[in-house]
Amino acid sequence: MPRPTKSAAPSSATLDDATLDRHLAALETGARLWSQFTLDQRARLLTRVHATVGAVAAEWADAAATAKGLAPASPLRGEEWQTGPYATLVGLDAARTTLDELAAGKSPLDGVRLDAAPGGRLRARVFPADASDRLLLSGFSGEVWFEPGVTTASARASAGLAQLTPGTSGGVGLVLGAGNVSSIPVLDVLYELLSANRVSLLKVNPTQDPLVPVFERAFAPLIELGFLRIVRGGGEVGAYLTQHPAFSHVHITGSATTFDAIVWGTDRDAHTQPRLAVPITAELGGVSPIIVVPGRWSDADLRFQAEHIATMRLNNSGHNCIAGQVVLISEAWPQRDAFVEALRAAYEAAPSRPVWYPRSDEKRAAAASDYPAAVSSADGTRLLVELGADGDARALETTEYFAPVLGVVALSGLGQAFLDTAVAHANERLSGTLGANVLIDPATEAALGAGFERAIAELRYGGIAINAWTGVSFTVPQLSWGGFPGATLEEVGSGIGVVHNALLLDRVERSVLRGPFRPFPRSIGALASRRGVFTVLPKPPWFVTARTGTAVSAGLARFRARGKVLPLLVTLARAFRA
């Protein structure tokens, strides 16, 4: 491919050919240097990065929260601690552990329980990984499921990906960063470096321009050695870079529309062959279901799970690729009306916040047009769409609104019949395969037994959360993050490939996160009945209704940065006032 001429450079003050040439020269040198680093040197480098991220954690969270219009005293600012510095710190910790194990001649799966999953699959029970995990995410567990055909021997042998051949360079890659969550771009860069031995030019989304100075200090150890460069710019800069011959690979977190423009050009029908000359991986979101399995729930269960669903939709004002969008509920459930009433109340009462992402108002207006009977709340910024079995849910189920729009769709059946219907509905009607959520009480799960696990295996999603939100999986680095396998350049769906995946596992199909149905102290019943999951967590700090969300999330991030126990005890005490 010929090098673009000077006149082809993007018309942006953020990047010109001379600046790009300097960045590329540094990265090409960095790619050669990385291939000479031993695994032990790489682990020690991540220790340095961990320290620099911890040093700017408060500034990072503050800059992200301020850019989203959150007031200084808002408990919702805790979200920016969780999905910014906290997610990055735990990701670095987990990656460093993997490198340490490989450097010692071990497999990252040594000590990890491997057993059979439904459908002839193998799964690795990767979380919790240590005592800190068991305390900070009490009651949560995570599994990585491999594609059918992967054996215990092959899983162990391939764990480590490119770190099994550290001297083989992956060249220089281009990472086009997401604009909604601050740790996404930098975690994508980290995965490129470890999974493929590929250094990166990161172009941030314009919504994250205020964070660039923080990123440059947080990742100074990588930048100094030529393993990372960061540039700004709009769509024209991204378009220019994707056609530049210096890059061996492109990774994007964004929309399918942007993906198609990169691969096929803005006129999709005019091209029969991809215009992109290098491989591409992508995470592109979708419409996430929340399957509510009918059971016998207490009033407290109804309220708690209603707040849970409100959180799935309203976290980050709904500007999440993994936001829950369609609640699938049994029309025959005797408690259906009580649950929908609790959901209406929780959705309306959740704290007000700016709807800040560009063009989200247009998406909400489109939903209001499609569903004029939808209930509007929070000064008109939120919509709740309720549809019966005969309602037309096509727009709701095929449009990723990326805004505070939540739908409730009624389906037939009870028990296993409902669950099977809901799984088929999610697979066949909802766009995308990134994440699915299932809420089920312990007694009902026990009654369904193997039928429940079979239904989970039938869900064609890259991330599944049972009595949890898949958004929490984002902060568990041992789990994979990406759409269900099978996407192509022609039909990309929720994307191609995975990220996070700190154990560097090959042929990953999905990750499953399991959480407690009831918070502490109501979770104590699980100890007596031996059903369900016990947790010491009260209302989790990521709930949008958690009054101490900022204080707790900041305290947890500081613990991950510094490892000091006494401040952690103070943080945990605050969690009980959520």
Side-chain angles (χ1 to χ4, degrees), residues 329 333 335-345 384 386 408:
I329 193 169
W333 186 23
Q335 293 181 286
R336 173 185 177 275
D337 291 344
F339 181 72
V340 172
E341 183 179 350
L343 180 57
R344 288 191 204 110
L384 182 63
E386 299 176 32
V408 180

Side-chain angles (χ1 to χ4, degrees), residues 72-441:
S74 172
L76 297 172
R77 293 173 80 93
E79 294 175 2
E80 302 311 313
W81 280 94
Q82 296 157 18
T83 60
Y86 178 88
T88 305
L89 289 164
V90 296
L92 288 164
D93 279 336
R96 184 177 54 195
T97 297
T98 292
L99 289 173
D100 285 339
E101 291 176 344
L102 289 168
K106 302 177 182 178
S107 167
L109 284 174
D110 286 352
V112 174
R113 178 183 167 193
L114 297 172
D115 61 6
R121 296 172 175 87
L122 178 74
R123 65 180 160 195
R125 298 180 181 267
V126 298
F127 187 86
D130 56 31
S132 294
D133 293 338
R134 292 183 181 89
L135 177 62
L136 302 188
L137 279 177
S138 171
F140 286 79
S141 61
E143 311 155 8
V144 175
W145 291 24
F146 295 92
E147 295 175 356
V150 174
T151 65
T152 298
S154 63
R156 291 190 186 280
S158 61
L161 297 179
Q163 298 313 297
L164 297 174
T165 54
T168 303
S169 173
V172 178
L174 173 65
V175 172
L176 300 175
N180 59 324
V181 172
S182 62
S183 65
I184 289 177
V186 292
L187 289 174
D188 289 349
V189 164
L190 179 65
Y191 193 67
E192 286 286 286
L193 193 60
L194 297 179
S195 69
N197 284 329
R198 191 159 39 234
V199 302
S200 294
L201 180 78
L202 166 63
K203 190 201 82 66
V204 298
N205 187 290
T207 62
Q208 295 205 350
D209 280 354
L211 280 159
V212 170
V214 180
F215 288 162
E216 289 175 338
R217 293 196 298 279
F219 297 93
L222 299 183
I223 294 171
E224 290 166 0
L225 294 169
F227 302 153
L228 170 65
R229 286 292 187 272
I230 304 173
V231 299
R232 298 178 174 91
E236 77 284 1
V237 174
Y240 171 68
L241 290 174
T242 59
Q243 290 298 300
H244 199 287
F247 300 110
S248 62
H249 182 271
V250 175
H251 177 80
I252 176 176
T253 297
S255 70
T257 300
T258 303
F259 177 92
D260 284 344
I262 292 170
V263 174
W264 302 100
T266 52
D267 185 359
R268 173 66 176 84
D269 296 332
H271 299 278
T272 58
Q273 295 296 321
R275 64 193 295 267
L276 184 68
V278 297
I280 184 171
T281 51
E283 188 268 280
L284 305 174
V287 176
S288 293
I290 307 164
I291 299 173
V292 180
V293 183
R296 295 181 62 183
W297 294 12
S298 68
D299 290 344
D301 292 337
L302 295 171
R303 290 192 299 270
F304 178 78
Q305 296 300 345
E307 289 185 34
H308 200 175
I309 292 176
T311 293
M312 296 181 195
R313 178 72 265 185
L314 296 178
N315 177 281
N316 199 23
S317 290
H319 310 316
N320 288 326
C321 56
I322 201 66
Q325 182 165 305
V326 178
V327 181
L328 299 178
I329 193 169
S330 168
E331 194 171 41
W333 186 23
Q335 293 181 286
R336 173 185 177 275
D337 291 344
F339 181 72
V340 172
E341 183 179 350
L343 180 57
R344 288 191 204 110
Y347 194 66
E348 181 175 357
S352 296
R353 64 192 303 162
V355 180
W356 62 273
Y357 202 80
R359 301 185 64 183
S360 59
D361 54 341
E362 297 175 18
K363 294 289 188 72
R364 183 210 162 277
S369 176
D370 287 330
Y371 300 102
V375 177
S376 176
S377 60
D379 296 325
T381 61
R382 298 174 193 164
L383 284 183
L384 182 63
V385 180
E386 299 176 32
L387 297 174
D390 57 349
D392 185 357
R394 283 175 295 179
L396 183 68
E397 294 177 339
T398 58
T399 305
E400 183 187 4
Y401 287 115
F402 219 68
V405 178
L406 179 66
V408 180
V409 174
L411 302 176
S412 62
L414 288 169
Q416 190 71 51
F418 166 79
L419 180 56
D420 291 343
T421 297
V423 167
H425 189 97
N427 286 341
E428 297 164 10
R429 303 283 187 89
L430 273 62
S431 294
T433 64
L434 184 62
N437 312 276
V438 181
L439 302 178
I440 183 169
D441 67 273

Side-chain angles (χ1 to χ4, degrees), residues 47-73:
T47 299
R48 288 182 57 204
V49 178
H50 188 275
T52 50
V53 169
V56 301
E59 184 182 358
W60 180 336
D62 182 66
T66 300
K68 296 178 181 182
L70 295 173

